[in-house]
Amino acid sequence: MLSEFELIRKYFERAPREVRPGDRRARRVALGIGDDAALLRPSAGMELAVSTDLLLEGRHFRAGADARKLGHKALAVNLSDMAAMGAAPRWATLALGLPAADEIWLKGFAGGFFALADRFGVELIGGDTTRAAAPGPVPGPIVICITILGEVPSGLALFRAGARPGDDIWVSGALGGAALALEQPGNAANAKRLDEPEPRIELGERLRGLASAAIDVSDGFAQDLGHILERSGVGATVEYALLPRPAEVGKIADADLQARLVLCGGDDYELVFTSPQANRGELAALAAELNLPLSRVGAIQSAQAKLQVLDAQGKALHIGRGFDHFAP
Ligand code: ADP
Ligand code: MG
């Protein structure tokens, strides 16, 4: 059985990167894994964006979930928070509570984690590892807690507060696919949206100076847009028919189910953002450049914190609630 320190060294501590000319990453970490703390070298003129997400087996992922996909998703949900702030992700810490040092699981998890980390130049700089079990025979659940740190030029971060009456409301990609995959586990078409979401990092960075407010969709479009409305002290009207959805969601005959997936389905990790009307052309060009659909779905109104979703006849739809861990 691996000791805690062997486990860290074998799966999470990577050889110091060769410093190649032009590789800026290598200079962002003065000291990585192995000491009592890591030492970072933030760039001049940047603010640090910091965010933590905790994933619990049985609550955020099912027992027996594929370890590689889990490594991807655990980091992806954190990267998505950086995207929503307009920050460039740089460093991450990883705290793991594991029922056992299962090497097949560790290899898969580390593989998924580092494949995504390397795509965005994120360096794992530390963490903590513990057995998830009280002394005795009952193993605890897997616990994965990642803290992500990113950089954003001072004054350019995107906030939830910032939406103004008259601004357009935009959504990236499509909504409801992850929730459909959760609802119909046998339906493979949207499994990737649920298991291996793509954090919208490039979009987030490009929205600096363009978006007036932004959030990522983790708990459902209606609920997450609601956070923007509340923080900004505004309301919104959204045209239901304009909300982008994957083909398999759009084909669902049960209208209530389709609406629930699109409006309340969580886990899509798309960005919802607001932007002055004057930016429409620039955003259309950005969508083409990033090869990522950006849909204009509604407008910010002055009525405080009220969200109206209108059907084709202009009638307000009833909106259920998004995911709330403490809902009765
Ligand atoms: P401490 O006793 O100070 O908590 P540890 O012995 O737990 O330190 O950790 C040793 C080193 O390994 C530290 O640099 C820590 O950040 C790093 N580390 C521990 N667990 C992980 C992990 N799961 N992923 C990455 N780094 C880790
Ligand atoms: Mg420790």
Side-chain angles (χ1 to χ4, degrees), residues 1 91 95 122 134 221:
M1 182 99 151
W91 309 280
V122 170
F221 171 81

Side-chain angles (χ1 to χ4, degrees), residues 77-103:
V77 303
N78 278 275
L79 292 176
S80 180
D81 285 320
M82 292 292 103
M85 294 299 290
R90 302 284 192 230
W91 309 280
T93 65
L94 169 64
L96 284 175
L98 300 174
D102 175 343
E103 291 212 53

Side-chain angles (χ1 to χ4, degrees), residues 4-5 8 12 33-36 94 124 126-129:
E4 175 189 337
F5 304 105
I8 296 164
F12 298 113
I33 291 173
D35 215 301
D36 293 308
L94 169 64
L124 182 65
D128 204 17
T129 307

